Amino acid sequence: MSVQFVETIKIKNGKAMFLGYHQARMERTISRFFPKLAVSAMPGLEQIVEATADMELYKARVVYGEQGVELVEYAPYSMRQINSLKVVCDDDIEYNYKSTDRSRLNALVEKKGCCDEIVIIKNGLVTDTSFTNIAIYDGSSWLTPKHPLLAGTKRACLLDRGAIKEADITINDLMRAKRLRLFNAMIDFGEREIPISQVII
């Protein structure tokens, strides 16, 4: 099977959220991997994602590949409980595009021990958890890694709004931070905050 990619889209009160950011990322991915599709039949998420009034909080999962959109799934969403993070290092990991192949990420998650989730360090710098972007509060600003594993759609929106700023974040910066937040398309900024004391090196 050829490589596949996915967009995970939040549906809240019957409305698909931030479709423009998802569309932009999907178009970048298709242009990179499937240039013929980009020219002939670029999918449009507004026509593909069918949010209905009874979807109070749902996750839409749109899988696409060289044939275009290959699968659309909908499921009620409940946020995972994450109270602690384990720092793991991998200088070779790549996840620049939101692929359905998460094998390398899943292998790192196996190293979380008794913690709920991991923080991935690459070349000495904080990147992401296995499924969210990260921001730390240094006392004056919310900072997010300049080089995340995956440039998330919520991250792009927060940067556009000026709510977060890009920075290189070391482990020391992380451990000295006042606050730490995890966020992605499904988790709003501020919905999941982890005490720094619960970040285990």
Side-chain angles (χ1 to χ4, degrees):
M1 181 180 289
S2 64
V3 63
Q4 290 180 312
F5 300 92
V6 61
E7 286 297 324
T8 302
I9 298 162
K10 184 176 189 175
I11 298 176
K12 186 174 182 181
N13 298 324
K15 183 179 187 302
M17 309 297 289
F18 301 107
L19 278 185
Y21 286 95
H22 290 285
Q23 182 74 31
R25 182 169 65 183
M26 183 176 71
E27 290 184 4
R28 286 195 302 272
T29 303
I30 288 175
S31 296
R32 165 71 175 79
F33 290 92
F34 315 115
K36 290 181 182 177
L37 183 64
V39 172
S40 63
M42 182 69 78
L45 290 173
E46 284 195 0
Q47 289 75 44
I48 291 163
V49 178
E50 298 179 353
T52 57
D54 60 335
M55 294 181 178
E56 290 184 18
L57 186 57
Y58 266 65
K59 175 169 70 173
R61 188 170 179 269
V62 179
V63 178
Y64 61 98
E66 63 183 351
Q67 302 302 318
V69 172
E70 298 168 8
L71 177 69
V72 182
E73 298 176 311
Y74 303 91
Y77 178 74
S78 58
M79 200 186 313
R80 276 173 53 182
Q81 286 296 321
I82 302 175
N83 300 306
S84 57
L85 299 170
K86 172 69 175 176
V87 172
V88 301
C89 298
D90 187 335
D91 290 344
D92 299 317
I93 190 168
E94 297 283 349
Y95 194 68
N96 296 325
Y97 296 91
K98 193 172 172 64
S99 168
T100 55
D101 180 5
R102 291 177 51 87
S103 54
R104 189 70 175 265
L105 290 168
N106 292 339
L108 289 179
V109 172
E110 294 296 318
K111 301 180 180 181
K112 67 183 175 69
C114 60
C115 293
D116 298 321
E117 177 54 35
I118 58 171
V119 177
I120 301 166
I121 308 298
K122 181 176 180 179
N123 298 324
L125 296 176
V126 174
T127 61
D128 291 328
T129 73
S130 73
F131 75 109
T132 71
N133 291 131
I134 292 174
I136 63 168
Y137 188 67
D138 66 357
S140 59
S141 301
W142 283 101
L143 306 175
T144 198
K146 187 183 295 183
H147 303 289
L149 289 183
L150 179 71
T153 54
K154 180 60 63 68
R155 177 183 181 275
C157 178
L158 291 167
L159 285 169
D160 285 348
R161 293 177 176 179
I164 58 176
K165 301 175 183 177
E166 291 184 316
D168 285 332
I169 300 172
T170 65
I171 296 178
N172 286 339
D173 295 331
L174 175 66
M175 302 311 292
R176 286 198 299 262
K178 307 295 184 187
R179 299 159 74 186
L180 166 64
R181 287 180 177 176
L182 312 182
F183 56 95
N184 61 20
M186 299 301 301
I187 302 172
D188 288 339
F189 192 62
E191 271 193 299
R192 184 59 79 229
E193 192 162 315
I194 312 295
I196 300 298
S197 61
Q198 294 302 303
V199 179
I200 311 303
I201 296 179

